Amino acid sequence: MSDYDVDLFVIGAGSGGVRAARIAASHGARVTIAEEFRVGGTCVIRGCVPKKLLVYASRFADEFEDAKGYGWQLAAPSFDWCTLIANKDREIDRLEAAYVANLERSGVAIVRSRAVLEDAHHVRLVASDEIVRAKYVLIATGGRPHLGAEIAGLEHVISSNEVFHLKSFPARILIQGGGYIAVEFANIFHGLGSQVTLVYRGDNILRGFDDDIREHLREEMVKRGITILTRRTVEAVEKVDHGLVAQLSDHASVTVDQAMFATGRRPNVSGLGLDRVGVKLDAKGAIVVDRYSQTSVPNIYAVGDVTDRVNLTPVAIREGHAFADTVFGGRPVAVDHADIPTAVFSEPEIGTIGLTEAEARQQFARVDIYKTSFRPMKATLAARASRSFFKLIVDGESDRVVGCHIAGPDAGEMIQLVGIAVKMRATKADFDAVMAVHPTAAEELVTMRSKAASYVREAAE
Ligand SMILES: Cc1cc2nc3c(=O)[nH]c(=O)nc-3n(C[C@H](O)[C@H](O)[C@H](O)COP(=O)(O)OP(=O)(O)OC[C@H]3O[C@@H](n4cnc5c(N)ncnc54)[C@H](O)[C@@H]3O)c2cc1C
């Protein structure tokens, strides 16, 4: 008789936890997973999936407008927020049920409770006060929104958690933040018809992305009618009869119906008992792990946003899978976090992989830049002023494409495929050898012949 009730106890049924639980069970482990909110985690319940549904909804506005240039006569369309939210909720319920069914089919026991660590091998289920003895524990508790400094009226501000359940559609919304979540919601609400003000304390939106992409997206968003106020913060929010008044650090004020802060996320570690057990955290409160996701306590592992490596769903899933293969599959697998393709579902959409120009110029002695900006074909008859932007960053010595940055329709879809080439270490000559698909936007990837710039680093004296 085993000393343990389970081989693996997973805390958190989000992207990383669910994958780890299923794969560990497929390797023959006895697995229990605890979830304190809803099975599926942030991505399915209040992240990627519902967000993308809102992105789809918001994009119809352009389609209706553009249709006229193509000969369609449409009665003025109207939009109903409550219908969208109800339909979105139905889809999320369906997905949650599918996640539960898949876990159950894999033989994983699901416990609907908060779980905390008593010691390295004992997990307490808060709902029943039961103790489970586990040989291994996986912490996959994700992250939570962080609203920043305590300011007056912060209780009137919502985060991305609440935005998916607003009872009424805000005609005017202020969004604070410059990361991808802030930018995406600014575009969603603008597309659905809100007057949007984006406030960000930094110089430009999307810190960490290629500077040309940041500039391009900002220009396009402003052109569309989104107000972007950088180098400013919201200092107070006051509730008034007709909405909320946000006081900004430059003494201006903005009156809105809703204020949302997307000012970052923090690892979800509080109250888990990690200090009691000796699981080490870094300065930002993330669980410190090695390349196999093992924490400072040998039988405790952690994956996903709680480790703050690269906070994206496919990464959490890969880490969860690798953990299960390593510990229960007899095959040590370390996740490769280099060159992760990613998208921002803004307007225009962004797709990016690899190094930014600034990073490449730090890293390589010679860097060649290829870039182009053009009006997408569909915009011509629609008389839409939007422009697309493509950029390739090439290591001038090896000719390898080390970065690709796209702004334009379907950039997310394109970058997934470019990602294969970049991971395979394709050179610019490999790109050029591919015949163009015409007429597409993606053909720019294989037809950019002249360098926009070439940088050679001076040798150090
Ligand atoms: C608005 C938004 C949009 C996003 N869009 C994208 C996108 O387009 N693409 C992308 O790749 N990523 C996106 N992300 C990021 C993505 O959602 C996360 O990277 C991913 O969900 C991380 O997975 P995880 O398993 O680490 O944690 P999560 O999915 O957050 O799951 C953690 C789970 O643990 C549960 N939990 C926490 N503590 C306990 C406890 N003590 N006991 C029991 N259960 C507990 C939580 O309730 C949660 O269900 C988005 C995130 C947000 C917020």
Side-chain angles (χ1 to χ4, degrees):
M1 176 74 186
S2 162
D3 287 343
Y4 301 108
D5 302 314
V6 293
D7 299 313
L8 173 64
F9 193 99
V10 181
I11 307 181
S15 308
V18 166
R19 174 59 69 93
R22 288 180 53 199
I23 301 300
S26 76
H27 288 311
R30 297 167 302 157
V31 185
T32 292
I33 192 166
E35 173 52 54
E36 67 176 350
F37 182 53
R38 293 182 66 180
V39 173
T42 304
C43 179
V44 176
I45 307 298
R46 47 194 180 186
C48 339
V49 176
K51 174 198 76 187
K52 189 81 187 276
L53 295 173
L54 300 197
V55 168
Y56 285 130
S58 70
R59 287 181 176 169
F60 281 99
D62 280 5
E63 295 292 323
F64 291 132
E65 244 180 70
D66 291 356
K68 290 182 211 141
Y70 285 87
W72 290 90
Q73 302 292 327
L74 300 173
S78 66
F79 166 69
D80 181 44
W81 172 257
C82 295
T83 303
L84 171 62
I85 295 303
N87 291 347
K88 179 266 295 174
D89 285 343
R90 203 169 322 113
E91 173 59 8
I92 300 307
D93 290 349
R94 185 189 72 76
L95 283 174
E96 183 181 12
Y99 268 71
V100 169
N102 283 339
L103 279 167
E104 287 173 347
R105 213 174 297 127
S106 307
V108 175
I110 306 171
V111 186
R112 302 280 190 164
S113 169
R114 178 169 174 76
V116 296
L117 287 162
E118 289 295 312
D119 62 42
H121 290 285
H122 291 86
V123 182
R124 185 162 63 83
L125 304 177
V126 173
S128 58
D129 217 22
E130 221 178 303
I131 299 285
V132 181
R133 293 166 305 163
K135 187 167 182 195
Y136 289 95
V137 175
L138 179 70
I139 302 169
T141 49
R144 62 191 152 72
H146 176 67
L147 294 188
E150 265 307 317
I151 56 163
L154 196 61
E155 67 277 13
H156 306 307
V157 171
I158 60 163
S159 72
S160 62
N161 280 353
E162 293 77 38
V163 75
F164 294 110
H165 296 285
L166 293 179
K167 292 275 173 282
S168 58
F169 182 71
R172 300 160 301 176
I173 186 165
L174 176 146
I175 297 176
Q176 176 160 238
Y180 78 93
I181 295 175
V183 164
E184 289 176 338
F185 275 96
N187 283 285
I188 288 169
F189 279 105
H190 177 264
L192 295 176
S194 293
Q195 192 182 314
V196 178
T197 307
L198 185 70
V199 178
Y200 177 51
R201 66 177 175 185
D203 285 346
N204 203 357
I205 55 174
L206 290 187
R207 186 162 62 91
F209 284 70
D210 185 85
D211 284 337
D212 279 335
I213 284 284
R214 300 170 75 190
E215 207 40 58
H216 182 87
L217 180 61
R218 182 180 186 157
E219 269 173 37
E220 290 293 315
M221 286 171 65
V222 169
K223 213 152 61 180
R224 296 173 73 79
I226 296 174
T227 303
I228 300 183
L229 306 175
T230 46
R231 295 188 203 147
R232 268 158 277 203
T233 53
V234 176
E235 304 235 300
V237 177
E238 193 191 345
K239 198 165 177 48
V240 292
D241 281 351
H242 50 284
L244 300 171
V245 176
Q247 297 293 341
L248 307 188
S249 50
D250 63 355
H251 307 299
S253 65
V254 187
T255 304
V256 289
D257 302 298
Q258 199 65 246
M260 168 181 169
F261 286 5
T263 39
R265 293 176 63 81
R266 292 283 154 87
N268 218 346
V269 290
S270 75
L272 269 181
L274 300 183
D275 40 353
R276 203 166 35 235
V277 180
V279 170
K280 280 204 188 106
L281 304 181
D282 69 13
K284 288 186 184 158
I287 296 180
V288 177
V289 289
D290 69 8
R291 50 202 296 267
Y292 297 103
S293 297
Q294 190 174 31
T295 72
S296 52
V297 177
N299 74 306
I300 302 181
Y301 286 70
V303 295
D305 286 9
V306 76
T307 62
D308 197 22
R309 286 175 277 183
V310 180
N311 298 332
L312 292 169
T313 285
V315 179
I317 291 173
R318 209 36 101 78
E319 289 168 356
H321 200 130
F323 150 79
D325 282 345
T326 301
V327 176
F328 298 102
R331 189 169 70 94
V333 183
V335 172
D336 174 7
H337 290 92
D339 293 332
I340 295 172
T342 184
V344 180
F345 297 100
S346 47
E347 212 45 66
E349 192 165 298
I350 306 295
T352 175
I353 183 168
L355 302 180
T356 63
E357 178 180 324
E359 288 166 343
R361 287 171 63 182
Q362 282 271 319
Q363 225 165 296
F364 297 106
R366 209 182 110 199
V367 174
D368 297 331
I369 305 294
Y370 297 81
K371 55 185 176 183
T372 178
S373 162
F374 58 96
R375 199 166 174 212
M377 192 174 180
K378 191 175 166 201
T380 53
L381 295 200
R384 179 169 290 285
S386 66
R387 296 186 72 79
S388 293
F389 176 79
F390 282 63
K391 180 171 182 179
L392 289 179
I393 296 168
V394 178
D395 166 13
E397 279 174 357
S398 67
D399 196 39
R400 191 161 74 83
V401 175
V402 293
C404 177
H405 309 278
I406 304 173
D410 301 320
E413 304 290 339
M414 283 187 245
I415 208 68
Q416 180 69 80
L417 304 179
V418 175
I420 300 170
V422 171
K423 270 313 242 191
M424 291 176 76
R425 307 177 73 81
T427 60
K428 178 68 169 59
D430 293 326
F431 274 60
D432 294 346
V434 179
M435 201 68 83
V437 179
H438 185 73
T440 64
E443 67 183 306
E444 297 296 334
L445 289 166
V446 298
T447 55
M448 282 190 276
R449 292 280 185 258
S450 353
K451 290 174 199 164
S454 190
Y455 300 96
V456 181
R457 201 166 49 207
E458 299 290 323
E461 289 292 306

